[in-house]
Amino acid sequence: MILTLFYYLKYRKIAKYGKKETENYQISEIKKLLDYAYKNFECYKKIYDDAGIKPSDFNKLSDLDKFPVITKNDLKSEIAKIKIKKNKYNWLKTTGSTGSPFEFPVDNRSKAMRRAAHLISYGFFDKKIYRKTGIFWRDVRKNNFDRIKEFLLRRYWFSIYDTKSKKNILSDEDFIKYNKRILNSKISQIDGYVSAILRYVKIIKKYNLKIPKLDHVSVGGEVLSLNSKKLIESVLKCRVFNRYGGSEISLIAHEDNIKKNKLKIMNFRLYLESKNKKLFITDFTNRAIPFIRYELGDLAEKNNWKYIEYVEGRSNLEFKISNNEYLNSHFFHKIFRNFGDIHNFMVIQKKSKEFKIVIDCDNFNKTKRSLLVKLGKQLPELRFEITDEIISESNLGKHKHFIPLE
């Protein structure tokens, strides 16, 4: 908490810098990061040596073009070496929106910096930590520590699926109950996945439910289209603020009160490049494994040094199980990320309760057995067929892993 406060105060000061001051700060941070990565991580040293480039060749932001773009595959062998050594890192996993889940370490200092960045973003759209907030996210937090924390933070959890209680298919009635709780608890701020909040507003319209009085809605984790934004704003009668981040990097940009439909870049904690709409991130925070010119796989235009346009990336779909029941596709991301040998996947809904899952993995028979057991426990009412057919990249690409009936 003290470390988070320290970086919050530091970032709040840097966030007020003008363009030139910000660039000088970013140049200084990138110089230190390049030197640190080159001296401490074999993968970076080899990549830069092979490219005939050294950290000393970086002196201005445009010099970063000389350095190779890094992907998760470039870092996996290095991370494997880190994992077998004794360390105190926090180990996180991506959801595998590119098809292959990715595990990586984060040090405690980085965790504090990332929390501080989120606190800074609250000022972008007047979010108040003392006001009641409803969160449409995954897996309800039920242990005593989490319950106390959520009570103190005045946060109310509305699960879009819950692998702990194995309640993963939601009905219209679930969202009607959510609305009653939001109204009765006088929740004034809502945050969550775009797909979950879209389902919520559709239920409000479908059943003509009473609309809660909200200050604003903030969304993340998925792409927010302008049409979806207009629908949410028209139903809930408040402004919607979009954010963009990645599991590896955390918060990258957030919409503010000044520029509607543009996202303000967290320039105090990273440097963002946009080349032909491809985004490359240089993160200043994580010393456990640096991310330098790291390609997340999302697409966006950098509007200027401060803002980016709307991002093209993952959208969670819904599988319709019955007239009033739905399964959010993010459930499968959560399941697959615990299978490290899965390189790619597709989930195809054949009938309302029948699914075909295609996986590309190292040990198909073993993974198939384990996956069927896992899915059987989580979704006993559904039937699954698992195959190892060839996945066509032309039909897949990032974020195209799900094919619902409609």
Side-chain angles (χ1 to χ4, degrees):
M1 180 62 77
I2 294 174
L3 200 56
T4 300
L5 179 60
F6 170 80
Y7 284 112
Y8 169 75
L9 295 172
K10 177 183 176 180
Y11 287 163
R12 190 170 66 170
K13 179 181 177 181
I14 296 169
K16 296 176 182 178
Y17 286 176
K19 182 179 180 181
K20 188 61 179 177
E21 275 185 300
T22 298
E23 287 180 353
N24 289 337
Y25 164 75
Q26 291 177 321
I27 289 168
S28 174
E29 291 297 307
I30 293 170
K31 277 185 175 181
K32 291 184 285 188
L33 187 60
L34 286 169
D35 189 61
Y36 172 76
Y38 187 79
K39 289 178 178 177
N40 293 280
F41 297 89
E42 289 180 18
C43 64
Y44 277 102
K45 186 177 189 308
K46 184 179 186 308
I47 289 169
Y48 293 162
D49 284 348
D50 289 348
I53 196 82
K54 294 192 181 301
S56 58
D57 294 320
F58 176 82
N59 294 293
K60 55 184 183 295
L61 291 177
S62 60
D63 286 341
L64 208 53
D65 284 340
K66 303 173 186 176
F67 292 80
V69 170
I70 300 297
T71 67
K72 65 176 68 173
N73 288 331
D74 295 315
L75 301 178
K76 281 184 175 180
S77 61
E78 190 77 46
I79 290 172
K81 287 186 285 186
I82 295 170
K83 194 164 188 180
I84 62 175
K85 296 178 182 177
K86 187 176 181 180
N87 62 73
K88 296 182 179 179
Y89 297 141
N90 304 281
W91 288 86
L92 306 179
K93 291 180 181 179
T94 67
T95 53
S97 59
T98 55
S100 178
F102 176 52
E103 189 173 21
F104 60 96
V106 175
D107 58 85
N108 287 327
R109 172 177 166 273
S110 177
K111 279 186 68 178
M113 289 173 155
R114 294 173 179 212
R115 289 193 192 107
H118 277 278
L119 291 175
I120 292 291
S121 76
Y122 293 173
F124 291 2
F125 62 111
D126 298 326
K127 181 174 181 176
K128 308 298 183 185
I129 59 174
Y130 55 82
R131 289 184 184 166
K132 293 179 179 179
T133 302
I135 301 174
F136 285 79
W137 214 249
R138 59 184 182 270
D139 289 343
V140 175
R141 301 183 175 188
K142 291 183 177 179
N143 66 56
N144 290 334
F145 173 78
D146 282 331
R147 282 176 173 171
I148 293 170
K149 184 173 73 172
E150 301 307 320
F151 173 77
L152 294 174
L153 293 173
R154 309 188 84 190
R155 297 195 303 206
Y156 297 73
W157 219 255
F158 301 104
S159 178
I160 62 169
Y161 64 84
D162 190 354
T163 58
K164 295 176 183 178
S165 67
K166 299 181 177 59
K167 181 175 173 52
N168 298 306
I169 296 173
L170 293 188
S171 66
D172 288 2
E173 183 61 31
D174 290 309
F175 281 92
I176 292 171
K177 289 178 181 177
Y178 289 169
N179 191 58
K180 286 180 181 177
R181 192 178 182 201
I182 289 169
L183 290 166
N184 293 337
S185 301
K186 294 182 170 58
I187 289 169
S188 61
Q189 303 173 137
I190 284 180
D191 180 89
Y193 283 116
V194 175
S195 56
I197 294 175
L198 275 174
R199 171 57 46 196
Y200 173 51
V201 300
K202 287 174 182 177
I203 296 301
I204 288 178
K205 285 189 70 176
K206 181 178 179 179
Y207 294 96
N208 196 27
L209 303 179
K210 185 177 180 180
I211 301 168
K213 293 180 180 179
L214 300 173
D215 297 330
H216 58 256
V217 173
S218 53
V219 297
E222 307 168 354
V223 170
L224 174 66
S225 70
L226 290 179
N227 286 338
S228 294
K229 187 177 188 182
K230 287 176 183 176
L231 175 60
I232 297 169
E233 289 181 335
S234 67
V235 173
L236 295 180
K237 313 297 182 187
C238 66
R239 181 148 173 208
V240 174
F241 293 90
N242 192 17
R243 68 173 174 269
Y244 168 57
S247 300
E248 304 95 312
I249 308 297
S250 189
L251 184 61
I252 295 170
H254 204 299
E255 189 171 352
D256 63 11
N257 282 317
I258 300 170
K259 298 273 189 181
K260 191 166 186 179
N261 301 331
K262 291 178 173 49
L263 284 74
K264 189 173 183 179
I265 304 166
M266 306 282 120
N267 284 317
F268 50 82
R269 61 154 302 232
L270 55 83
Y271 177 63
L272 183 147
E273 304 168 77
S274 178
K275 309 285 185 182
N276 298 319
K277 293 186 75 174
K278 288 186 177 181
L279 294 181
F280 309 126
I281 312 292
T282 298
D283 175 27
F284 303 156
T285 69
N286 195 7
R287 292 301 185 267
I289 183 70
F291 292 100
I292 304 172
R293 299 205 82 202
Y294 182 71
E295 184 175 3
L296 280 172
D298 300 311
L299 303 175
E301 290 285 355
K302 191 172 180 179
N303 188 259
N304 55 38
W305 70 279
K306 267 191 173 183
Y307 292 91
I308 56 174
E309 301 286 349
Y310 263 34
V311 180
E312 299 173 33
R314 182 183 75 202
S315 295
N316 288 335
L317 303 175
E318 289 182 320
F319 295 104
K320 189 174 182 179
I321 306 302
S322 72
N323 285 337
N324 297 316
E325 292 181 314
Y326 298 86
L327 172 65
N328 192 291
S329 65
H330 193 279
F331 164 82
F332 291 103
H333 282 302
K334 176 69 183 292
I335 296 297
F336 291 146
R337 74 178 182 180
N338 292 316
F339 288 82
D341 67 332
I342 293 180
H343 307 301
N344 225 331
F345 65 87
M346 287 185 74
V347 179
I348 305 162
Q349 188 178 23
K350 308 294 285 185
K351 295 181 181 179
S352 60
K353 295 187 178 184
E354 292 184 13
F355 290 78
K356 177 180 179 179
I357 299 177
V358 184
I359 57 174
D360 172 17
C361 62
D362 297 328
N363 190 332
F364 173 73
N365 289 328
K366 180 181 178 182
T367 302
K368 176 183 176 180
R369 288 194 297 270
S370 299
L371 193 52
L372 283 172
V373 170
K374 185 79 171 178
L375 291 170
K377 290 179 178 178
Q378 291 291 335
L379 294 166
E381 60 270 73
L382 304 184
R383 292 184 293 278
F384 295 95
E385 171 196 1
I386 299 179
T387 75
D388 59 350
E389 298 170 14
I390 296 174
I391 299 174
S392 171
E393 291 297 328
S394 61
N395 294 327
L396 187 60
K398 187 175 182 184
H399 315 298
K400 297 178 182 177
H401 301 282
F402 305 106
I403 304 177
L405 275 176
E406 55 181 57

